[in-house]
Amino acid sequence: AGSDRKTVFLLGAGASRGAVKHVLHKGKQLKPPLNGDFFKVAATYARAEGGNSQARRRLDRLCKAFKQDLPVKGEPTMEEAFSLLYIAKDFPEIYRSGSGRRHQAGERKEIEDFFRLLFPILTMLDRGNDCATGYDRLSSRLGSNDTLITLNYDTMLDSALHRRGWDAKTGYALSGNKGKVKWEPVPLPSGQTPLRSTLIKIHGSTNWFVRGSVSNLKKVFASKPVKVTRPRENEIAGHVRQVVPPIYGKIFEHDHWRKLWTKAFADLCDAEVFVVVGCSLIDTDFHLRALISTLVRRRKKDGNRFAKVFLVDRTKVRRKWAAVLKGSYVKAVEYNSFEKFLRQGLSV
């Protein structure tokens, strides 16, 4: 409404689903996956790739594991699936991986299958859109003091910011040598100012790489990224993408992670407006829940309430957030979809 207020956005998987409804891949509609429907999205991708494709074989191995070795009722969520695989890899005597050779402790073929399905899907969602995404519309209204905190691995938001001249060297708030960032900002038309908002990816990103391999996921937690590239589908030899796997007990061992989470918390403490989009605040995301609880206590103690909070999701999730944030804001505005927020909320 004509005023520029320091705003922090917290964006979950529902934000990407709202920003990009789907892209077409070989005639199939591919949607951004949510925690609860990853396997449905993966099945669509496998159908598009074909019955004899590597994607089909990877998905079949995963489904077989959750029927025979790690039986679950119904279809597991993304977090349930990976947490089970992550535990099972250390106990090959108990959780046999098929009828083939016995694997060493710490190995599990299905973990690689999981990532090799997830990463191409996320890349296609970024490259397959027409650049008129919800994230582009959001980016057009951001100011330099605004911060976007995302739980997502995908680069759809990153690309939308990049199309407005955003520089990944400083925009990611990463520590260390800026020379590791191999993604140059785009030149803008004369008179257009590059976007300088901060994007904090507290669970990592598919275009961040650390030295190592999928067989040693500890490197993801215990390292900082050594290469930051433009969004890409192909891997880098001797490196693994730095995404924090969707497991119950996340362990952030490197200062790199501590600085990102601390920066996110500091910006939340300073913000006048807080916008939560598509983040279900699941009970097992202990780090995020602790951060939000500490934030609410801090702001209530200091008498520094948000002027406004925007809660964007289905009713059940909005009520959960309203209860968690109770006492830390003056006014709450709610929308049941990202589209409604983009049309109405940005001008409130």
Side-chain angles (χ1 to χ4, degrees):
S3 61
D4 184 8
R5 288 180 166 177
K6 179 174 176 55
T7 302
V8 172
F9 295 81
L10 178 61
L11 306 170
S16 288
R17 174 68 65 88
V20 180
K21 291 183 178 179
H22 67 264
V23 297
L24 284 176
H25 175 55
K26 298 182 180 180
K28 304 296 183 184
Q29 293 185 353
L30 203 60
K31 298 179 179 180
L34 303 175
N35 183 45
D37 68 3
F38 167 74
F39 283 94
K40 288 184 174 64
V41 174
T44 300
Y45 171 62
R47 284 196 300 273
E49 289 293 288
N52 294 320
S53 65
Q54 195 173 55
R56 181 75 262 173
R57 292 192 293 274
R58 292 189 188 283
L59 182 59
D60 287 345
R61 275 196 297 268
L62 282 168
C63 292
K64 182 179 179 181
F66 296 120
K67 286 181 180 178
Q68 295 184 2
D69 305 331
L70 305 162
V72 293
K73 185 177 180 181
E75 197 170 71
T77 66
M78 192 175 178
E79 187 183 48
E80 288 170 343
F82 198 90
S83 293
L84 286 169
L85 292 173
Y86 197 70
I87 293 170
K89 70 178 175 55
D90 294 322
F91 300 96
E93 297 84 3
I94 301 174
Y95 308 105
R96 298 293 298 273
S97 181
S99 57
R101 68 178 178 86
R102 178 174 295 183
H103 294 286
Q104 296 294 321
E107 294 182 4
R108 187 85 196 194
K109 176 66 175 175
E110 294 88 349
I111 290 179
E112 182 178 355
D113 290 333
F114 181 93
F115 284 128
R116 295 291 184 258
L117 282 171
L118 175 62
F119 294 154
I121 290 171
L122 298 183
T123 302
M124 288 173 193
L125 288 166
D126 189 1
R127 292 186 173 180
N129 64 60
D130 60 2
C131 297
T133 72
Y135 283 146
D136 285 276
R137 292 159 63 192
L138 175 62
S139 299
S140 70
R141 299 297 300 274
L142 294 174
S144 296
N145 290 325
D146 295 334
T147 297
L148 303 115
I149 303 168
T150 181
L151 311 175
N152 302 328
Y153 312 137
D154 69 70
T155 52
M156 290 184 283
L157 174 57
D158 317 40
S159 292
L161 298 174
H162 187 256
R163 287 189 279 270
R164 294 202 60 235
W166 178 80
D167 188 350
K169 287 185 176 68
T170 54
Y172 279 132
L174 293 173
S175 58
N177 186 357
K178 304 300 186 226
K180 66 188 172 188
V181 180
K182 312 298 182 183
W183 192 13
E184 296 297 327
V186 298
L188 296 177
S190 178
Q192 188 171 338
T193 304
L195 183 61
R196 302 194 186 282
S197 301
T198 302
L199 174 59
I200 303 177
K201 306 192 78 168
I202 55 177
H203 287 168
S205 184
T206 56
N207 64 327
W208 298 1
F209 289 86
V210 298
R211 294 184 182 90
S213 68
V214 174
S215 63
N216 183 16
L217 291 178
K218 184 177 174 64
K219 288 286 290 183
V220 169
F221 299 107
S223 304
K224 64 180 180 181
V226 295
K227 292 180 185 291
V228 178
T229 69
R230 65 173 53 252
R232 55 187 289 158
E233 183 173 357
N234 57 312
E235 305 295 326
I236 298 178
H239 294 72
V240 61
R241 298 176 196 261
Q242 192 178 40
V243 300
V244 175
I247 53 178
Y248 298 146
K250 302 176 180 69
I251 304 171
F252 299 94
E253 296 182 2
H254 197 279
D255 283 349
H256 151 71
W257 295 113
R258 192 173 303 113
K259 289 177 181 177
L260 288 182
W261 280 78
T262 301
K263 167 68 173 169
F265 180 72
D267 284 3
L268 279 166
C269 287
D270 292 340
E272 299 173 78
V273 178
F274 184 28
V275 182
V276 184
V277 183
C279 176
S280 56
L281 196 64
I282 56 178
D283 293 339
T284 51
D285 197 338
F286 306 119
H287 288 82
L288 180 61
R289 292 184 68 87
L291 182 144
I292 296 298
S293 296
T294 304
L295 169 72
V296 170
R297 287 198 303 271
R298 173 76 62 85
R299 297 199 71 134
K300 287 166 67 174
K301 179 182 177 182
D302 295 345
N304 179 28
R305 294 188 294 171
F306 292 109
K308 231 177 242 186
V309 297
F310 290 81
L311 306 177
V312 186
D313 213 311
R314 63 188 188 276
T315 302
K316 182 179 179 180
V317 176
R318 297 199 310 268
R319 287 176 178 170
K320 189 175 186 178
W321 272 102
V324 169
L325 295 174
K326 185 178 180 181
S328 68
Y329 57 87
V330 176
K331 181 180 179 181
V333 183
E334 300 186 16
Y335 296 97
N336 63 7
S337 72
F338 193 25
E339 176 60 30
K340 283 189 178 179
F341 169 74
L342 292 173
R343 282 193 282 106
Q344 303 171 21
L346 290 180
S347 59
V348 171

